[in-house]
């Protein structure tokens, strides 16, 4: 209860955040600018249209605009054109796949050795994308993940097979922004959690049974739940004696009360697990249903705050609580009133992620330039736009868009293994990034990259080479297609001179596109 009260004091008992009818984007800008004044910070200027357009496309639909889309936006004189393009992108079919990529990585990371990558990860991503495409609210999506009863959804819980402790750790971290692992062996040294708190959460997963059917590509899983089974607690790990089993611990909601559970009949014996394709019958009392309902309940102070903070970090680079999965009293939010407003708006709009994304993207804070006085990649006070490397999925999609290939989420080439190997973990979520030699060599030498910009009918190289426009206009097309901006005078002069050196410009045009694809400006969203 101590941590529960701390969370309420930090995120709920803050000054009034504004009128009920005040747009969240207005609250965002007021809270952020107030901190600038307090810290005497000079923020970056507003982003240019080209900066904003490329950034918001990558953040919302996972790829860049085409040259035509860029030109149309730049020529648009409508004062509300940024707001309108945000609405259009949130309604775009590509939104679902892009957000599925974001949340798939949050839930699993890459984990190349995990079975779910080999057998069920694609099915899970298909299920996840459908939830976004169908407009399923985030509370319902997370509830389905924890119940694991829809085909495809079960993959998340399958990874915790026979590992209730790992389920407790990861579910608490991902959906409640709480780190419990230190309380597994001893009472947490830096937070309020005790070992009994840890095993109380673990008790919700101890009865979970993973049924494995088939093999290879035909392998499938279902999640069942037994009527019996308890977590045994024997005290501090250092004090355990050989053969000591411990006492059963009742399931307990994090920071709350123990689960009210009817007792089993005396001398109850668990029936044998069904064989073949038969599913386990539902238990007479389901712990996982009670836990799933509690996680997403409006009165749960953890879920809305954790999700709002994670979505903020998705667009702004870092959380108001940073790292996003580690809320505790020594890691207070940088802007507590702002986090309260985000969480409150999220709940009021029935856990609609699009609402949060729309309001954040429409804020002036999000639309600041990526260049400014501060040199930090992820400024703590959000005085400049963050700079982040593109993910592997984004790199594939952006390269295909830039070179004139249709981006089809179901295209088997959309997530080539080669790209995942080279760009699999471009960031750890803390703003740290180190480009690797393998990444550099891949961009410079791989056939997979070169296949995208070699001349083919209708692609960027072909459009440039078949055009009858002056070379200055054709170089402009390359820049608009790859970097979504016009070339600077020196860039234009250098590219035109390079291409015109040869009587047959085919190879020079391909090399020019390759140079743009290998630039740092292309590699990052900023």
């Amino acid at each position: 209860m101590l941590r529960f009260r701390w969370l309420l004091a930090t995120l709920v008992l803050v000054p009034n955040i504004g009128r009920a009818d005040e747009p969240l984007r207005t609250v965002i800008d007021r809270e952020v600018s107030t901190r600038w004044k307090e810290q005497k910070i000079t923020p970056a200027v507003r982003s240019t249209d080209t900066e904003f357009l490329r950034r918001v496309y990558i953040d919302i639909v996972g790829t860049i605009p085409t040259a035509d889309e860029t030109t149309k936006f730049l020529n648009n004189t409508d004062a509300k054109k940024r707001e309108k393009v945000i609405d259009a992108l949130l309604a775009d079919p590509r939104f679902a796949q892009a957000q599925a990529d974001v949340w798939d990585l949050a839930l699993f990371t890459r984990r190349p050795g995990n079975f779910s990558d080999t057998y069920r990860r694609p099915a899970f991503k298909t299920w996840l994308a459908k939830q976004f495409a169908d407009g399923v609210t985030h509370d319902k999506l997370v509830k389905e993940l924890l119940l694991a009863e829809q085909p495809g959804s079960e993959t998340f819980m399958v990874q915790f097979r026979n590992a209730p402790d790992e389920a407790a750790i990861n579910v608490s971290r991902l959906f409640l922004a709480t780190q419990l692992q230190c309380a597994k062996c001893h009472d947490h040294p830096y937070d309020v959690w005790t070992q009994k708190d840890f095993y109380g959460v673990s008790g919700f997963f101890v009865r979970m049974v993973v049924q494995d059917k088939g093999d290879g590509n035909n392998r499938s899983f279902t999640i069942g739940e037994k009527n019996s089974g308890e977590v045994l607690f024997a005290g501090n790990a250092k004090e355990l004696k050989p053969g000591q089993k411990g006492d059963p611990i009742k399931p307990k909601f994090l920071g709350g009360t123990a689960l009210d559970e009817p007792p089993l009949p005396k001398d109850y014996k668990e029936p044998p697990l069904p064989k073949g394709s038969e599913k386990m019958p539902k238990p007479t009392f389901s712990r996982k249903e009670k836990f799933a309902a509690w996680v997403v309940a409006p009165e749960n102070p953890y879920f809305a705050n954790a999700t709002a903070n994670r979505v903020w970090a998705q667009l702004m680079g870092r959380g108001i609580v940073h790292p996003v999965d580690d809320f505790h009293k020594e890691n207070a939010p940088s802007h507590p009133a702002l986090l309260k407003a985000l969480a409150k708006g999220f709940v009021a709009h029935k856990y609609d992620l699009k609402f949060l994304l729309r309001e954040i993207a429409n804020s002036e804070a999000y639309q600041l330039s990526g260049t400014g006085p501060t040199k930090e990649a992820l400024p703590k006070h959000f005085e400049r736009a963050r700079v982040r490397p593109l993910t592997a999925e984004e790199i594939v999609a952006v390269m295909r868009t830039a070179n004139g290939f249709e981006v089809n989420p179901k295209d088997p080439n959309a997530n080539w293994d080669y790209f995942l190997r080279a760009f699999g973990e471009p960031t750890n979520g803390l703003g740290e990034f180190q480009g690797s030699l393998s990444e550099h060599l891949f961009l410079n030498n791989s056939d997979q990259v070169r296949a995208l910009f070699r001349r083919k009918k209708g692609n960027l190289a072909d459009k440039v080479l078949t055009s009858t426009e002056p070379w200055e206009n054709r170089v402009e097309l390359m820049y608009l297609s790859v970097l979504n901006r016009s070339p600077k005078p020196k860039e234009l002069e250098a590219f035109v001179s390079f291409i015109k050196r040869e009587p047959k410009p085919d190879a020079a045009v391909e090399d020019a596109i390759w140079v743009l694809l290998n630039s740092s400006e292309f590699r990052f969203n900023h």
Side-chain angles (χ1 to χ4, degrees):
M1 289 299 291
L2 290 174
R3 191 174 188 276
F4 178 79
R5 290 169 184 161
W6 166 80
L7 190 65
L8 286 177
T10 303
L11 301 177
V12 179
L13 303 179
V14 294
N16 184 30
I17 56 174
R19 303 188 316 270
D21 60 343
E22 188 175 37
L24 181 55
R25 65 194 72 173
T26 302
V27 179
I28 291 171
D29 289 327
R30 184 177 63 245
E31 293 299 326
V32 172
S33 61
T34 297
R35 184 55 52 87
W36 295 338
K37 292 174 184 176
E38 293 172 354
Q39 299 293 322
K40 297 181 180 180
I41 291 172
T42 301
V45 299
R46 196 174 197 240
S47 60
T48 64
D49 280 348
T50 54
E51 276 185 293
F52 164 77
L53 189 66
R54 185 179 190 273
R55 179 190 306 165
V56 77
Y57 260 75
I58 293 174
D59 282 343
I60 295 181
V61 296
T63 190
I64 58 175
T66 64
D68 287 343
E69 288 170 330
T70 301
T71 302
K72 181 179 179 181
F73 182 80
L74 296 179
N75 292 336
N76 189 348
T77 59
D78 187 344
K80 292 188 175 182
K81 66 180 184 179
R82 293 193 179 195
E83 183 177 355
K84 289 179 179 179
V85 81
I86 291 168
D87 287 342
L89 292 174
L90 289 171
D92 191 298
R94 294 172 294 181
F95 168 81
Q97 186 60 49
Q99 297 308 306
D101 288 338
V102 168
W103 285 90
D104 171 71
L105 288 178
L107 294 169
F108 286 102
T109 72
R110 291 281 176 217
R111 300 185 71 170
N114 188 281
F115 79 93
S116 56
D117 288 276
T118 305
Y119 298 107
R120 298 295 293 166
R121 188 77 168 266
F124 176 76
K125 291 184 72 172
T126 298
W127 175 83
L128 197 56
K130 188 176 186 304
Q131 308 313 297
F132 286 107
D134 292 347
V136 174
T137 56
H138 195 63
D139 59 329
K140 292 180 180 178
L141 187 155
V142 170
K143 189 173 182 180
E144 290 299 337
L145 280 176
L146 297 175
L147 292 176
E149 294 174 352
Q150 292 185 4
S153 69
E154 74 281 351
T155 306
F156 176 71
M157 294 306 298
V158 168
Q159 65 182 318
F160 306 123
R161 173 185 218 162
N162 299 324
D165 293 355
E166 290 301 310
I169 290 169
N170 283 279
V171 168
S172 298
R173 178 181 63 82
L174 288 165
F175 305 124
L176 309 175
T178 300
Q179 302 277 350
L180 284 183
Q181 60 271 24
C182 284
K184 180 178 179 179
C185 299
H186 47 74
D187 291 347
H188 202 299
Y190 308 115
D191 211 335
V192 300
W193 305 122
T194 66
Q195 279 187 280
K196 288 188 176 181
D197 289 321
F198 174 86
Y199 289 109
V201 177
S202 181
F204 285 102
F205 305 103
V206 73
R207 295 179 178 179
M208 185 178 76
V209 176
V210 176
Q211 293 179 273
D212 188 347
K213 305 178 184 68
D215 53 32
N217 293 331
N218 295 319
R219 194 175 184 186
S220 64
F221 302 91
T222 57
I223 304 294
E225 188 177 9
K226 296 186 295 185
N227 281 294
S228 63
E230 303 293 347
V231 170
L232 301 180
F233 174 66
N236 193 302
K238 292 183 179 180
E239 300 172 358
L240 290 181
K241 298 178 181 179
Q244 188 175 359
K245 293 183 178 181
D247 300 317
I249 293 288
K250 292 186 67 173
K252 181 183 177 184
F253 299 110
L254 191 64
T257 58
L259 177 66
D260 185 12
E261 183 175 11
L264 289 169
K266 189 177 181 180
D267 300 325
Y268 173 83
K269 290 185 178 180
E270 194 73 39
L273 294 177
K275 297 180 179 179
S277 60
E278 184 183 356
K279 288 185 179 181
M280 285 185 67
K282 284 199 170 189
T284 54
F285 181 89
S286 174
R287 288 183 176 183
K288 74 172 182 176
E289 286 182 3
K290 296 297 183 182
F291 183 77
W294 171 81
V295 166
V296 301
E299 58 271 20
N300 179 353
Y302 306 108
F303 179 67
N305 287 301
T307 308
N309 189 57
R310 188 178 287 274
V311 174
W312 174 269
Q314 179 184 338
L315 293 190
M316 303 298 288
R318 65 179 292 143
I320 296 170
V321 174
H322 186 73
V324 296
D325 56 3
D326 195 12
F327 280 52
H328 61 84
K329 62 183 179 181
E330 302 299 326
N331 189 28
S334 60
H335 300 67
L338 175 55
L339 183 54
K340 176 192 173 183
L342 292 169
K344 183 179 178 181
F346 183 47
V347 175
H349 285 79
K350 302 185 186 302
Y351 301 96
D352 182 6
L353 287 183
K354 282 188 178 182
F355 164 76
L356 283 180
L357 291 167
R358 178 181 291 107
E359 293 303 304
I360 297 170
N362 273 291
S363 70
E364 289 299 315
Y366 174 79
Q367 295 183 25
L368 291 177
S369 174
T371 58
T374 181
K375 302 301 180 185
E376 293 181 48
L378 304 178
K380 179 179 180 180
H381 300 293
F382 311 107
E383 64 267 31
R384 178 181 54 71
R386 82 284 183 269
V387 176
R388 72 164 177 86
L390 303 181
T391 65
E393 289 85 357
E394 288 170 340
I395 290 172
V396 173
V398 169
M399 283 188 173
R400 290 173 67 82
T401 301
N403 286 287
F405 291 89
E406 180 182 355
V407 180
N408 179 0
K410 295 184 179 180
D411 185 342
N413 294 320
N415 291 316
W416 291 323
D417 287 342
Y418 294 102
F419 282 83
L420 294 180
R421 293 174 194 172
F423 307 106
E425 293 284 2
T427 177
N428 61 5
L430 300 177
E432 301 167 355
F433 170 74
Q434 181 64 53
S436 66
L437 178 60
S438 61
E439 171 184 318
H440 178 72
L441 292 173
F442 180 78
L443 282 170
N444 277 266
N445 302 298
S446 76
D447 289 337
Q448 287 74 29
V449 172
R450 290 189 173 272
L452 289 171
F453 62 81
R454 285 199 184 102
R455 184 178 182 181
K456 294 184 180 69
K457 184 175 177 59
N459 75 350
L460 178 58
D462 186 57
K463 289 178 182 177
V464 170
L465 289 165
T466 56
S467 173
T468 58
E469 295 283 329
W471 275 108
E472 287 78 6
N473 293 4
R474 290 191 257 181
V475 170
E476 172 100 2
L477 175 61
M478 286 193 289
Y479 266 79
L480 287 172
S481 299
V482 179
L483 300 180
N484 308 112
R485 67 170 176 86
S486 297
K488 298 173 183 177
K490 286 187 177 180
E491 294 171 332
L492 183 63
E493 180 183 355
F495 270 70
V496 170
S497 175
F498 172 74
I499 293 171
K500 292 175 72 174
R501 287 187 313 181
E502 302 294 335
K504 290 186 176 182
D506 295 51
V509 166
E510 290 182 0
D511 284 346
I513 296 171
W514 173 83
V515 167
L516 294 177
L517 292 173
N518 272 271
S519 66
S520 295
E521 185 176 350
F522 178 83
R523 177 68 178 87
F524 289 83
N525 195 13
H526 42 81

